Amino acid sequence: KNEVEQSPQNLTAQEGEFITINCSYSVGISALHWLQQHPGGGIVSLFMLSSGKKKHGRLIATINIQEKHSSLHITASHPRDSAVYICAVDSDEGGADGLTFGKGTHLIIQP
Amino acid sequence: DSGVTQTPKHLITATGQRVTLRCSPRSGDLSVYWYQQSLDQGLQFLIQYYNGEERAKGNILERFSAQQFPDLHSELNLSSLELGDSALYFCASSVAQGRSYGYTFGSGTRLTVV
């Protein structure tokens, strides 16, 4: 069973700062997902990665398959980026078995 | 609007009762996944259906069951409810069996058992 660890658990930063959230996992995967959850509950999929790097606006996600590690970066952070960011993995073990989630990083961006 | 519709958004019920949560997947998606998010356990996979058939089970209690209908909507049935079942229940859909195809999440149903 895959274990997914995220760090930090909580992060408070000032508007404009560069933010990095880390995720590591224990066994092989077919894909890694970064999700965003705002207060009030809804989950939005930000990125799906199986290799390399992806960029969308101010968000950048990278993955190193050999090191079993991924990072989510936010450039020029803004208070509207305040949310919980969750790393989740699709295992490459046989059979479709849903996502395994990290515990999330609670990010607060102060004006 | 993500395209995945979950109803109801909120549900308050008493211990011992039974409830049904509903999920309509994004148009064209054949797979439906159910997840539970609680304060102590975080997000956990419950069960997956693909084109009407159960394909995988996760940490789903025997008191819980689900099905996917011919129109591809899915229902999660929770019975003999306990206080600890209070949680957010999410549905996600995917084009195929989910692996590497990406997921679209619904906005969730918040269940409170009193």
Side-chain angles (χ1 to χ4, degrees), chain A residues 29-88:
Chain A
I29 63 170
S30 58
L32 181 142
H33 304 258
W34 282 103
L35 310 171
Q36 181 192 57
Q37 186 174 26
H38 278 106
I43 293 176
V44 174
S45 180
L46 298 175
F47 294 103
M48 181 178 71
L49 293 161
S50 55
S51 65
K53 175 180 174 178
K54 287 190 176 180
K55 184 176 190 290
H56 185 255
R58 296 180 293 105
L59 300 179
I60 302 165
T62 63
I63 189 167
N64 184 318
I65 296 295
Q66 287 72 33
E67 295 186 1
K68 296 186 175 61
H69 180 270
S70 175
S71 293
L72 176 69
H73 305 287
I74 305 175
T75 62
S77 59
H78 190 276
R80 65 176 174 266
D81 297 325
S82 299
V84 177
Y85 292 84
I86 303 167
C87 173

Side-chain angles (χ1 to χ4, degrees), chain B residues 72-85:
Chain B
L72 300 177
H73 91 270
S74 178
E75 292 180 356
L76 179 66
N77 301 296
L78 316 176
S79 61
S80 303
L81 284 167
E82 302 174 0
L83 295 177
D85 297 327

Side-chain angles (χ1 to χ4, degrees), chain A residues 14 37 43 97 99:
Chain A
Q14 296 299 120
Q37 186 174 26
I43 293 176
D97 50 10
L99 293 168

Side-chain angles (χ1 to χ4, degrees), chain A residues 14-37:
Chain A
Q14 296 299 120
E15 183 173 356
E17 287 189 38
F18 181 83
I19 304 299
T20 296
I21 300 170
N22 296 300
C23 174
S24 60
Y25 50 92
S26 57
V27 298
I29 63 170
S30 58
L32 181 142
H33 304 258
W34 282 103
L35 310 171
Q36 181 192 57
Q37 186 174 26

Side-chain angles (χ1 to χ4, degrees), chain B:
Chain B
D1 181 8
S2 68
V4 176
T5 304
Q6 286 190 250
T7 57
K9 291 195 185 308
H10 303 275
L11 197 48
I12 301 175
T13 190
T15 54
Q17 295 298 305
R18 172 189 169 94
V19 297
T20 297
L21 312 184
R22 181 187 169 107
C23 169
S24 294
R26 192 181 61 160
S27 178
D29 286 357
L30 299 177
S31 260
V32 170
Y33 296 76
W34 285 98
Y35 295 95
Q36 180 194 57
Q37 186 179 35
S38 60
L39 281 175
D40 53 345
Q41 298 288 334
L43 274 159
Q44 292 192 97
F45 167 64
L46 295 179
I47 196 164
Q48 183 221 352
Y49 280 82
Y50 174 75
N51 204 20
E53 293 187 8
E54 181 187 306
R55 285 303 175 94
K57 268 187 174 180
N59 297 321
I60 188 166
L61 300 172
E62 286 191 11
R63 301 183 284 109
F64 296 1
S65 64
Q67 53 185 327
Q68 186 179 28
F69 295 86
D71 68 352
L72 300 177
H73 91 270
S74 178
E75 292 180 356
L76 179 66
N77 301 296
L78 316 176
S79 61
S80 303
L81 284 167
E82 302 174 0
L83 295 177
D85 297 327
S86 296
L88 261 171
Y89 291 84
F90 285 100
C91 159
S93 71
S94 179
V95 168
Q97 292 231 49
R99 193 176 307 282
S100 303
Y101 287 98
Y103 303 90
T104 303
F105 286 82
S107 57
T109 293
R110 183 175 294 278
L111 173 66
T112 303
V113 182
V114 297

